[in-house]
Amino acid sequence: MPRLSEVIAALDALWPPSRAEQWDAVGTVCGDPDAEVTRVLFAVDPVQEIVDEAVKLGADLIITHHPLYLRGTTTVEAGTFKGRVVHTLIKNDIALHVAHTNADTADPGVSDALAGALGLRITGPLVPDASDPEGRRGLGRICELDHPETLREFAARAAAWLPPTAQGIRVAGDPDALVRRVAVSGGSGDSLFEQVRAAGVDVFLTADLRHHPASEARETSRPLALVDAAHWATEWPWCEQAAAQLDAISERHGWGLRTHVSRTVTDPWTAHAPSVTPPSISGAPN
């Protein structure tokens, strides 16, 4: 069985920490470098529910996309939820490793997994990494559908092929408009509208779209169709992709690792109450 340090070295080769954004907090949060690793759990969020799942599974290592301490901390006191996560990990000899923005821009990265989940053909990165001479790394992906479909049909594709969440899929644009060229970006994507417009796509699928950026994108001379899925749902496909990558490394080295992908929905939204009247201010109470 490999030691944790050997597994981490392999993960760092897949998602080099040096390629993370400066504000990010990636890498190993806790764990003994000399401890043996036999079972690995992949998840989006390092929350208590995932840690409890790892304990029941007998995992030695959790790999998450989101950091536990993105902005640092002054305490791991168990009365705080993050402190309790750390205490549970250490008491059960479970390591935690994070691949965040370094996984976003990797080849393959988070948006490759998202495009694959939607059955899209990737043509290149939305925001290319200038340090990649092959032009494959970068943030987001530009994709094409094999055959044009309406925005309504594309939204239905996203609703059917992405993991279900309380939010579901939000759509902005003419439902009958034809789309073929698509931009996708796993996680929050409304900082990328300039690059999306420059790419000349018909629709942009991402998450966490705010009112003002979305409104401005719809009010341009060539309105951009938008599909907003839940943040968790757009990043969960990466867990399966990352697990497959580690499986390949394990097989190559003869490690015999057992990898698992958590199906636990850690999206924070738990219910959705649809409007009971058409979205109009007519007849609305004062």
Side-chain angles (χ1 to χ4, degrees):
M1 294 298 174
R3 294 178 299 164
L4 176 63
S5 59
E6 295 175 284
V7 177
I8 296 303
L11 299 178
D12 285 347
L14 291 176
W15 316 300
S18 61
R19 293 189 186 140
E21 296 290 339
Q22 289 186 347
W23 51 263
D24 206 359
V26 302
T28 305
V29 178
C30 66
D32 180 353
D34 293 324
E36 287 189 346
V37 176
T38 59
R39 198 182 294 265
V40 183
L41 178 65
F42 286 83
V44 176
D45 297 298
V47 294
Q48 189 65 41
E49 195 171 7
I50 295 300
V51 176
D52 291 342
E53 181 179 347
V55 172
K56 292 178 182 178
L57 185 65
D60 311 293
L61 171 63
I62 303 173
I63 300 171
T64 64
H65 182 51
H66 289 154
L68 178 63
Y69 289 109
L70 183 58
R71 294 175 177 84
T73 188
T74 59
T75 179
V76 292
E77 192 265 319
T80 65
F81 100 79
K82 293 187 178 184
R84 187 158 64 96
V85 164
V86 173
H87 277 252
T88 307
L89 290 169
I90 293 174
K91 284 181 179 179
N92 290 276
D93 294 322
I94 302 173
L96 172 63
H97 187 81
V98 173
H100 192 210
T101 53
N102 50 330
D104 286 333
T105 58
D107 171 34
V110 170
S111 292
D112 292 285
L114 174 58
L118 294 169
L120 304 176
R121 179 165 52 86
I122 297 170
T123 61
L126 175 62
V127 185
D129 183 341
S131 68
D132 178 17
E134 297 183 2
R136 297 176 60 88
R137 292 198 309 268
L139 192 60
R141 293 295 183 265
I142 300 172
C143 313
E144 290 185 353
L145 291 160
D146 289 333
H147 305 284
E149 59 189 39
T150 65
L151 178 59
R152 179 186 291 107
E153 291 169 330
F154 181 74
R157 172 194 293 257
W161 293 10
L162 290 179
T165 61
Q167 172 187 307
I169 304 295
R170 299 190 300 173
V171 182
D174 178 1
D176 295 318
L178 286 179
V179 300
R180 181 161 190 170
R181 190 168 164 84
V182 182
V184 301
S185 183
S188 304
D190 62 17
S191 65
L192 301 174
F193 276 133
E194 181 179 348
Q195 292 88 343
V196 170
R197 282 191 289 267
V201 300
D202 304 307
V203 61
F204 180 33
L205 185 147
T206 188
D208 297 343
L209 291 179
R210 295 168 295 164
H211 175 88
H212 293 296
S215 177
E216 291 171 4
R218 292 293 306 148
E219 294 299 324
T220 60
S221 58
R222 186 178 182 272
L224 179 66
L226 305 173
V227 176
D228 185 322
H231 190 122
W232 175 85
T234 64
E235 294 182 331
W236 183 85
W238 172 80
C239 295
E240 290 195 320
Q241 176 180 276
Q245 289 178 279
L246 184 56
D247 282 339
I249 292 170
S250 174
E251 183 176 353
R252 190 160 63 245
H253 290 288
W255 286 348
L257 291 178
R258 288 167 288 177
T259 61
H260 305 263
V261 176
S262 175
R263 263 63 181 175
T264 302
V265 178
T266 55
D267 186 80
W269 305 105
T270 57
H272 173 72
S275 300
V276 295
T277 57
S280 170
I281 63 171
S282 61
N286 294 326

